Amino acid sequence: MEISDLGSFIDGLANNASAVVVESFINVSVSNLHLEDTVRITQICEEVGWPYSLFDEADQPCATVALHADFAPFRAVIVKPTLSPEILSVLTLTGMKQFLESQPSYVKWYVAGLAERIVTRSTLLCPWYDEYDFDPMPATKNPRSLVREYTSKRTVPPNVGPWLLVNPDTHFTASGAFSTWLNASARAVCRSLASEIDPETGALKCNGTPKLSIPIPDATEDLSLSFSLENFKNLQVAATWIFENEREAESRHTLLATEVARSGHPGTNLLQCFGEQISSSLSSAKIAYQMMLSDVSKDTLKALGDLRKAVTEETAKMTDVTRQLIGGVTAAMAVGFGLIATRISTNTNAWLIVAVMLLVVVYVSVIIYSGTQFISIQRQLRADWQSKLYRFLPGTEYEKMVSVPTGRSEHTFFISAWFSGAAIMALTAIVLWLSVKDDILPRQDIPTNAGASTSVTISSPSFSSVSSLAKISNSATSVISRPVKAVEKGSIPSSQSHDPGM
């Protein structure tokens, strides 16, 4: 025997009016029992290992062995096992109906007789001892703020989350427990989709042209017998479309109620409006919703045009910054190679060469720094203005329209900056090595004719970015244009000829 067998037996007694069942959070009271039914309950409880207590007609405790038909009717109190403070254990369908009406604040329910899990946005209903990690979704917009009621007793649920399936396409096996939940869910969802509740008859009213009044079935009528799984799925899809977005719930709710009123006619029942025709009403409501958005699209298109213009200007500026970096690095490289040629060909002061190369390094570093600062400022501006001007755009759309294009231009700049920096650093290292190598390695002067005045003039290209290069070259020429000392003893004037044979 299993727990579901005990629950099924008690539910059978309740359906046949052979017992009165009252289930609480900790126990199940089954009263008005005949002797045979009492004995059967005690047998199943002993097999599943659940404690119980028996009481006779005088409400006096009695033992199992002392049961006799003369003491009937009996009352059995079955104690449910203590599981967890966060889990509600449900044994009978009668108790399940009571709990669904009162909606206790339990996230996880153990329901006897349930074949598979019922995973909603707020609660999880599963078979006994089913291990399943469940995290409830955020609460939806309160349906009571959308549906008008004029009585003190509210029938619209404060939260539609416990009645909305996370996946409406889930296949369910027919069972008493699922039918009980379907009946309660369909009633709660239908009330949440109406425009108002009639204070006298409790009928559901949908505002439209004309207004439609839909009678609600009696509480004793089981909607699971009239709603097919396909109708129930369509009802779930419609309710999910309304409450999935809290900001748009009110406008979507109004549009769907209008379409339900338009598609119905006087005399239409609940099944026809919210079961058979809800799918077509939802399609019409979605079209109306898109048309409503198109009215706002004028300002939206203007905002998108401004956004496109801003992105285009930003990428163009980023491209200009990259071009400036490449141009500056090219000019700096030319200056660096000119300094290398000057150092190799002449005896120009090493500190002068190093000073000019350091100016080149500072020049390129300033270009790279200004580019990175521009990127940082633009990123901060986009982050600040997105939530204020463009929050109507989904995150994926904003990323595709803004983040991706600007990211590509930024990536191009960073690649150029890395290669440029590496090239300038390598060139600087070469210049520094050529400048200090004479201090490390001895330099040998090459003898030349004393009569010939040695004068070397170095001309290097002039670039617009480094306009002082010509002045540096002229200064270097005046310094290095001097007579070469002879290797022989004494100093020979430049006007005398030197005979190698002497």
Side-chain angles (χ1 to χ4, degrees), residues 9-10 12-22 28-39 41 53-59 69 71-77:
F9 181 77
I10 296 176
L13 295 178
N15 294 334
N16 296 330
S18 300
V20 178
V21 180
V22 177
V28 180
S29 175
V30 187
S31 58
N32 201 26
L33 289 171
H34 297 294
L35 176 62
E36 296 79 6
D37 298 331
T38 306
V39 173
I41 289 177
S53 301
L54 298 177
F55 300 88
D56 57 16
E57 183 181 11
D59 203 23
F71 300 119
F74 298 96
R75 180 170 64 92
V77 178

Side-chain angles (χ1 to χ4, degrees), residues 9-259:
F9 181 77
I10 296 176
D11 289 330
L13 295 178
N15 294 334
N16 296 330
S18 300
V20 178
V21 180
V22 177
E23 183 171 356
S24 65
F25 296 112
I26 59 176
N27 57 38
V28 180
S29 175
V30 187
S31 58
N32 201 26
L33 289 171
H34 297 294
L35 176 62
E36 296 79 6
D37 298 331
T38 306
V39 173
R40 182 57 179 165
I41 289 177
T42 58
Q43 292 175 350
I44 299 177
C45 289
E46 290 174 356
E47 290 184 12
V48 299
W50 282 18
Y52 63 90
S53 301
L54 298 177
F55 300 88
D56 57 16
E57 183 181 11
D59 203 23
Q60 296 296 321
C62 61
T64 306
V65 294
L67 292 177
H68 193 275
D70 294 337
F71 300 119
F74 298 96
R75 180 170 64 92
V77 178
I78 305 170
V79 180
K80 295 185 290 186
T82 303
L83 301 174
S84 170
E86 299 177 354
I87 299 177
L88 172 63
S89 56
V90 182
L91 178 62
T92 64
L93 296 182
T94 303
M96 185 178 182
K97 294 176 183 178
Q98 297 171 356
F99 292 139
L100 289 175
E101 290 178 0
S102 60
Q103 276 298 302
S105 58
Y106 287 90
V107 175
K108 192 173 184 179
W109 295 26
Y110 280 167
V111 181
L114 194 61
E116 57 270 312
R117 305 183 189 100
I118 300 177
V119 184
T120 69
R121 297 174 63 95
S122 302
T123 58
L124 169 67
L125 287 76
C126 58
W128 275 71
Y129 304 116
D130 182 19
E131 298 295 334
Y132 182 79
D133 294 332
F134 174 73
D135 293 324
M137 302 174 66
T140 61
K141 188 176 182 65
N142 191 341
R144 291 181 177 178
S145 64
L146 306 176
V147 184
R148 294 188 296 273
E149 287 188 273
Y150 304 100
T151 58
S152 58
K153 183 179 179 180
R154 306 298 297 271
T155 58
V156 178
N159 181 18
V160 78
W163 311 114
L164 291 184
L165 294 171
V166 174
N167 182 14
D169 294 326
T170 305
H171 175 73
F172 293 99
T173 303
S175 63
F178 175 72
S179 298
T180 302
W181 181 84
L182 188 151
N183 177 55
S185 175
R187 291 178 181 274
V189 172
C190 289
R191 288 191 176 97
S192 301
L193 299 184
S195 299
E196 60 180 272
I197 307 296
D198 189 278
E200 297 181 358
T201 62
L204 310 182
K205 293 185 176 181
C206 294
N207 295 333
T209 310
K211 181 180 292 188
L212 180 65
S213 179
I214 308 169
I216 191 74
D218 188 76
T220 58
E221 183 178 344
D222 189 359
L223 294 184
S224 64
L225 301 178
S226 55
F227 271 77
S228 65
L229 292 179
E230 185 66 23
N231 293 336
F232 183 70
K233 170 190 169 183
N234 294 334
L235 178 62
Q236 288 282 317
V237 170
T240 302
W241 178 73
I242 291 177
F243 293 99
E244 65 183 355
N245 189 333
E246 185 175 358
R247 291 195 307 165
E248 303 294 336
E250 185 173 358
S251 58
R252 293 184 179 186
H253 182 275
T254 302
L255 292 174
L256 182 62
T258 302
E259 293 301 325

Side-chain angles (χ1 to χ4, degrees), residues 277-331:
Q277 301 174 0
I278 191 63
S279 180
S280 58
S281 299
L282 176 61
S283 299
S284 301
K286 288 183 176 180
I287 295 174
Y289 179 71
Q290 294 298 327
M291 294 177 63
M292 183 189 70
L293 293 181
S294 65
D295 294 337
V296 189
S297 63
K298 295 179 181 179
D299 296 335
T300 303
L301 289 177
K302 184 178 182 300
L304 290 177
D306 295 340
L307 178 62
R308 176 181 175 275
K309 181 180 178 181
V311 172
T312 303
E313 291 178 352
E314 182 177 343
T315 52
K317 291 179 181 179
M318 199 70 251
T319 304
D320 291 339
V321 172
T322 305
R323 288 199 192 101
Q324 293 176 6
L325 173 62
I326 296 174
V329 170
T330 303

Side-chain angles (χ1 to χ4, degrees), residues 70 113 147 197 228 246 248 262 357 373 383 392 402 414 444 478 487 500:
D70 294 337
V147 184
I197 307 296
S228 65
E246 185 175 358
E248 303 294 336
R262 189 178 64 84
M357 195 62 211
Q373 285 297 106
F392 61 89
V402 179
F414 286 129
Q444 296 181 356
S478 63
V487 179

Side-chain angles (χ1 to χ4, degrees), residues 326-396:
I326 296 174
V329 170
T330 303
M333 294 285 289
V335 173
F337 282 116
L339 294 175
I340 292 174
T342 302
R343 182 58 182 168
I344 294 175
S345 305
T346 68
N347 290 329
T348 306
N349 191 304
W351 291 108
L352 180 61
I353 299 293
V354 171
V356 175
M357 195 62 211
L358 290 179
L359 289 177
V360 171
V361 173
V362 171
Y363 171 69
V364 175
S365 301
V366 169
I367 295 178
I368 295 176
Y369 175 77
S370 63
T372 54
Q373 285 297 106
F374 175 77
I375 292 176
S376 177
I377 293 173
Q378 293 299 319
R379 286 180 175 177
Q380 185 63 41
L381 289 176
R382 290 197 301 268
D384 293 341
W385 287 104
Q386 178 186 1
S387 59
K388 296 178 176 63
L389 296 179
Y390 307 111
R391 59 184 177 183
F392 61 89
L393 281 177
T396 54

